Amino acid sequence: MIQRIQTIYLLIALLISAFLPFEFYLQTLNDYTYTILFGLNTSFTLVSIMYFKKRQHQFVLNRLSIILNLILLGLFLYSSLNLSRETLVVSEKGIGMFLPIFAIVFLALANKSIKKDEDLVKSADRLR
């Protein structure tokens, strides 16, 4: 399980979605919508790591996690664009708004590695 590179990518994405939102400044983390979406994203990534023998399930769960990260990114951008100018001066934006982008990158890298493994298994089956 751990010897495959996609597991490393998934562990990094899990770290980004599970622990880093509480370390970095997120202006609207008090909202339950963001907490629920980060929780779903974390659970999809964790289940994807556990499905190391089922590559197709991993691929689908990673795609769902990418979609959740895109929704989170859209919600963060929408909330930051709707702030008034006075609030923008007082509040400082952190890197926390861009955590979904980093998670999407690592999930895409994991999907690329899963696809490469799947192609390797299919080519080995063809040779038999």
Side-chain angles (χ1 to χ4, degrees), residues 21 24-31 34 75-84 87-88 91-97:
F24 289 111
Y25 176 73
L26 294 176
Q27 91 190 38
T28 56
L29 191 61
N30 296 334
D31 192 9
Y34 297 103
L75 287 173
F76 282 138
L77 289 176
Y78 178 76
S79 67
S80 71
L81 291 175
N82 280 340
L83 290 176
S84 66
T87 313
L88 285 175
S91 73
E92 72 179 46
K93 303 283 187 293
I95 195 169
M97 276 185 56

Side-chain angles (χ1 to χ4, degrees), residues 19-88:
F19 302 114
L20 291 183
F22 301 107
E23 290 294 320
F24 289 111
Y25 176 73
L26 294 176
Q27 91 190 38
T28 56
L29 191 61
N30 296 334
D31 192 9
Y32 291 116
T33 307
Y34 297 103
T35 308
I36 289 170
L37 288 175
F38 269 118
L40 278 173
N41 190 15
T42 302
S43 63
F44 282 163
T45 308
L46 186 63
V47 170
S48 179
I49 291 172
M50 295 303 151
Y51 278 171
F52 62 93
K53 290 186 179 180
K54 301 176 182 177
R55 287 176 297 278
Q56 291 297 336
H57 292 291
Q58 261 189 334
F59 196 78
V60 170
L61 284 171
N62 288 346
R63 289 279 173 107
L64 288 174
S65 188
I66 287 172
I67 291 170
L68 277 176
N69 278 314
L70 287 173
I71 291 170
L72 272 168
L73 182 64
L75 287 173
F76 282 138
L77 289 176
Y78 178 76
S79 67
S80 71
L81 291 175
N82 280 340
L83 290 176
S84 66
R85 292 291 177 200
E86 297 88 26
T87 313
L88 285 175

Side-chain angles (χ1 to χ4, degrees), residues 9-19 41-43 45-46 49:
Y9 291 143
L10 289 172
L11 285 173
I12 293 171
L14 179 72
L15 174 78
I16 289 171
S17 64
F19 302 114
N41 190 15
T42 302
S43 63
T45 308
L46 186 63
I49 291 172

